[in-house]
């Protein structure tokens, strides 16, 4: 009897995910809002604003539906993460626009941006240095997926600057995200 309920539940979840995916472009807030500002011919600043996410449940713990784990969740317009980048002739640097952030927050964000940057450089051979500006943050380790959004935003800005137009799933593999639910990556 339990198996019948479980099978029905998973059929419902698959249908629900298909429904959400079909409506995604209208109702969700993907990060695809990359804007570029040219101050002159030599300086271009790119900015990306990414959503947060709520992970609700894992749906395929043993891989029988095609993806081990896999999740259901939603993206949220707020809180959001905003990151800007411009090419730099100096070593890569990170600046925070928000004032009075706790040291733990700036350290965590710096570590995640640096790790994503190093992975992108190593895998794709991007050599340019960047000045990153964190325009807005939200709490790490709060269940809103900040780590994935930080890593994907860093990678997206770097790859777009280099003329590489990678999908979020490709970026996630490079920066080491989407290992469990995938909500943050697919919502990106």
């Amino acid at each position: 009897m339990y198996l019948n309920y479980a099978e029905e539940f998973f059929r419902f979840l698959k249908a629900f995910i298909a429904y959400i995916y079909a409506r995604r472009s209208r109702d969700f807030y993907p990060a695809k809002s990359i804007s570029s500002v040219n101050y002159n011919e030599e300086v271009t600043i790119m900015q990306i604003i990414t959503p947060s996410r709520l992970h609700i449940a894992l749906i395929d713990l043993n891989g029988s539906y095609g993806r081990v784990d896999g999740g259901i969740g939603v993206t949220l317009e707020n809180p959001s993460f905003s990151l800007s980048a411009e090419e730099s002739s100096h070593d890569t640097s990170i600046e925070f626009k928000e004032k009075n952030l706790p040291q733990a927050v700036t350290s965590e964000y710096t570590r995640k941006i640096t790790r994503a940057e190093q992975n992108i450089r190593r895998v794709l051979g991007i050599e340019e240095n960047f000045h990153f500006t964190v325009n807005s943050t939200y709490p790490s380790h709060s269940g809103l997926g900040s780590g994935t959004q930080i890593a994907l935003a860093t990678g997206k800005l770097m790859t777009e600057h280099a003329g590489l137009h990678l999908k979020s799933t490709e970026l996630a593999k490079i920066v080491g995200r989407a290992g469990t639910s995938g909500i943050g990556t697919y919502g990106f």
Side-chain angles (χ1 to χ4, degrees), residues 10 13-14 17 53 55 57-73 148 152 168-170 172-173 176-187:
F10 283 117
L13 282 178
K14 283 179 80 173
I17 291 167
R53 63 95 174 118
H55 165 80
L58 293 176
I59 59 172
D60 195 4
L61 297 176
N62 65 5
S64 63
Y65 289 101
R67 183 187 194 281
V68 174
D69 293 331
I72 187 167
T148 296
L152 291 176
S168 62
T169 52
E170 295 168 313
K173 288 176 185 173
R177 304 306 297 187
T180 305
S181 78
I183 299 302
T185 298
Y186 287 97

Side-chain angles (χ1 to χ4, degrees), residues 36-86:
S36 296
V37 178
N38 291 316
Y39 286 106
N40 58 48
E41 291 180 12
E42 297 175 11
V43 178
T44 299
I45 297 177
M46 297 180 300
Q47 179 181 13
I48 188 167
I49 301 170
T50 72
S52 51
R53 63 95 174 118
L54 287 176
H55 165 80
I56 298 169
L58 293 176
I59 59 172
D60 195 4
L61 297 176
N62 65 5
S64 63
Y65 289 101
R67 183 187 194 281
V68 174
D69 293 331
I72 187 167
V74 295
T75 58
L76 306 170
E77 186 174 16
N78 287 304
S80 62
F81 169 63
S82 174
L83 183 67
S84 300
E86 62 184 294

